[in-house]
Amino acid sequence: MKGKLGVSALILLFLGGLWLIAAPFAVGYQPRGAAYVDATVNDLWLGGSIAALSFVSLVIYAADALRELARRGRHSDG
């Protein structure tokens, strides 16, 4: 249960980071063709950081889960 809750939280963080990246353009406070305003730069850095950290955490979690499955598979064959 804790694993599912953690993975769900990481997925929500990843999606939230992607939204922060897309928000300046989707909401329209970044003028088309203009230099990036401070709010856009902030959203891009923060959203990119959150998305990257949560993605790396998901990959580490998946690798650990696969390692655990492989370890259990080796012990059950003997």
Side-chain angles (χ1 to χ4, degrees):
M1 177 67 181
K2 284 184 180 179
K4 289 182 182 179
L5 184 62
V7 169
S8 298
L10 287 173
I11 290 171
L12 287 175
L13 279 171
F14 180 71
L15 293 174
L18 291 180
W19 168 249
L20 281 174
I21 293 170
F25 311 103
V27 175
Y29 63 82
Q30 171 58 48
R32 177 173 248 161
Y36 285 172
V37 295
D38 289 341
T40 300
V41 173
N42 184 46
D43 279 358
L44 292 176
W45 277 106
L46 187 62
S49 298
I50 290 172
L53 277 171
S54 59
F55 182 76
V56 167
S57 298
L58 281 167
V59 168
I60 291 170
Y61 181 84
D64 187 49
L66 286 174
R67 189 179 312 117
E68 180 66 21
L69 285 173
R71 185 184 64 80
R72 286 183 187 179
R74 271 187 255 141
H75 292 300
S76 65
D77 288 342

